[in-house]
Each structure stands twice: as structure tokens, then as C-alpha cells.
Amino acid sequence: MHIIAVANNKGGVGKTTSSVNIAAGLAIHDRKVLLIDLDPQANTSQHLGITQPESTISDVIKGNKQLGRSIVAINPFFDLVASEKSLNNTSRMLDTEPGRELKLKNLLKNVKGKYDYILIDCMPALNVLTHNALTAADQVYIPVQAQYLALHGLSTLTEEIETIKESLNKKLKVGGVIITQYDSRTILNRDIMQSIVDTYGDIVFKTFIRQNIALAEAPTAGQDIYQYAPESNGAKDYSSLVKEILNRA
């Protein structure tokens, strides 16, 4: 079983889009996937059309619901644990608990062996929720725009990953950097892309996610990109990325 945190402390980099479409793409390849929405904004849940969940990851963390009873089946190979804004309060509650970074890791023991992949969509902040995801995960996927400020923020995240690795999760590693919203026509995008590749080498996925309006539209329909626009560049790019992920595994 692969447990992957999809994280970036900068917002707007395609983190939720990547989480949803990687999970859906793995499911297309008959991999059993659980996607956990660990962001109080609940964008992942909304992207998949789950707007009023009966139970959320917040309920699970607080001990009000079991993880297995909070799972929503998106399709036979793709499950979701949804989120909502009350997760903010749960995060503040965790701040005062001993062993707070281990909460999610311990909860995931209840579904061990049931999934090929567990993906955790993190919020754009390096707080106790993100620390929980990094402590539970084997790998981190980092979506990043080919822009200067996004590149600058990568160093902060990688330093945080090293801190978690040293103190809480020795097996944690950066499993992949995903370049998103890429436009090969601009010199800046190409230069930043090259800087990312020069810095992270083979960790960077060879598939770049191009700018594509269908990726922005798909959440309004509550669908992944393969359902919404299967012939779009967005679907082609994420399909290629998922094949890379499977080859790496």
C-alpha cells in the first residue's frame, strides 16, 4: 500500500486538481484508492460533488465516527473521506493533544490492506493537519506552478519534510514534483521549469500538466477530468502522469 501526501504550503498550485485526478486515474487502472480531504476548505470533496457529507475526516479525528463508516464510494475503485470547515476547529483541538502528529497515522491502521493507494490532500499550510499527513505518508507529491514565487516556496516545504523525516517518519521522502499550469510558449515558464528540474532531478515527473480550461471547469460538474472532458489536454496529461506513477511503483 502506498500512502501519498499531496502537499504544498502555497495555494493555487493545482494540489486539489492533482489529488482528484491522480486518484481517479489510478482507479481507472483498477487500483483501489482512498482519497482523504484534509483541508477545511473541502475543495476536494466539492470537486467530486460531495457538498453535504454525513460524516467527515473531522468526525473521525475527534473519535465521533470510525474511519470505515466515513467513506463515500465515488466508484467501485475510488473512495473518499470528505471534509468540511469544522476541520479548522479540530485542528485547534489537536494542537493541545499529546502525540498530535500521529493521529492520522494511527487511524489509517484500520484500513491497512484494503487499498493500493491512499492519497491525502493537504491544506496550503504547514500546520498540525499537514504534519499528520506527512507523518502518515510514505511519500509526498508536490504540485508546483512554473512561476518564481512557487519555486521559492518549495524550499520551505522540503525543509519541513526533512524535519518530519528526522523526528517522526524516517521513511518519508519526496516521491515526485508535479509541474502544473505549464505553458511552454512563455520563456518564464520554461526557465522556471528548468530550474525545478535542475534542483530536483529525476524526482520531477516528466509529464507536465498544461494550462487547460477543462481542468478548471470539471469541479463545477462534480466530476474528475476523465468524466468531464476525456479528450482534453488535462485528461491526457493526468492520464500520462498516472502511468508514470504506476511505473515508479
Side-chain angles (χ1 to χ4, degrees):
M1 182 173 69
H2 305 277
I3 304 178
I4 301 166
V6 183
N8 194 320
N9 49 304
K10 184 181 184 302
V13 297
K15 182 175 54 59
T16 293
T17 299
S18 294
S19 297
V20 168
N21 291 308
I22 289 171
L26 289 168
I28 289 171
H29 287 271
D30 294 343
R31 298 323 194 262
K32 186 68 174 175
V33 184
L34 175 64
L35 176 57
I36 298 176
D37 188 352
L38 203 62
D39 187 342
Q41 296 180 80
N43 289 335
T44 292
S45 306
Q46 293 162 14
H47 189 139
L48 292 165
I50 309 300
T51 56
Q52 293 182 315
E54 293 183 10
S55 178
T56 69
I57 189 62
S58 181
D59 297 314
V60 176
I61 291 172
K62 289 188 292 187
N64 297 335
K65 293 280 187 177
Q66 293 181 350
L67 181 60
R69 294 183 177 274
S70 301
I71 289 171
V72 178
I74 304 301
N75 65 48
F77 285 92
F78 182 6
D79 290 342
L80 171 74
V81 178
S83 183
E84 62 177 354
K85 61 183 179 181
S86 67
L87 188 57
N88 276 318
N89 296 329
T90 305
S91 175
R92 288 191 285 271
M93 178 199 77
L94 277 177
D95 280 330
T96 63
E97 288 194 5
R100 55 190 174 271
E101 296 93 350
L102 299 170
K103 190 75 172 181
L104 183 61
K105 180 178 181 179
N106 291 331
L107 290 168
L108 291 181
K109 292 177 182 177
N110 295 324
V111 294
K112 188 174 182 180
K114 295 182 180 179
Y115 294 96
D116 299 304
Y117 287 85
I118 296 177
L119 273 66
I120 309 166
D121 183 20
C122 302
M123 64 187 301
L126 298 175
N127 62 5
V128 67
L129 292 174
T130 301
H131 288 170
N132 262 264
L134 296 178
T135 303
D138 308 313
Q139 302 179 56
V140 187
Y141 286 175
I142 307 174
V144 58
Q145 292 169 286
Q147 296 182 4
Y148 174 74
L149 291 177
L151 176 62
H152 180 72
L154 266 180
S155 60
T156 303
L157 177 58
T158 52
E159 287 170 9
E160 193 79 5
I161 290 169
E162 285 302 312
T163 299
I164 295 292
K165 182 175 182 177
E166 291 174 9
S167 59
L168 292 165
N169 185 3
K170 297 189 184 303
K171 65 183 179 181
L172 183 66
K173 66 177 183 179
V174 178
V177 174
I178 305 166
I179 296 178
T180 64
Q181 301 174 36
Y182 181 66
D183 186 349
S184 62
R185 296 171 298 179
T186 69
I187 294 174
L188 177 61
N189 267 209
R190 294 199 303 269
D191 288 348
I192 297 298
M193 175 273 293
Q194 192 59 53
S195 295
I196 294 171
V197 171
D198 290 344
T199 302
Y200 292 94
D202 290 340
I203 294 174
V204 182
F205 285 106
K206 292 180 173 58
T207 301
F208 301 157
I209 308 302
R210 290 168 285 181
Q211 289 184 349
N212 181 236
I213 188 63
L215 289 171
E217 293 173 345
T220 66
Q223 295 179 327
D224 61 61
I225 191 61
Y226 316 104
Q227 295 171 302
Y228 181 76
E231 300 302 320
S232 67
N233 285 337
K236 293 174 183 176
D237 292 346
Y238 274 108
S239 179
S240 176
L241 176 62
V242 166
K243 290 176 182 176
E244 271 198 77
I245 290 169
L246 291 170
N247 286 336
R248 289 190 182 190

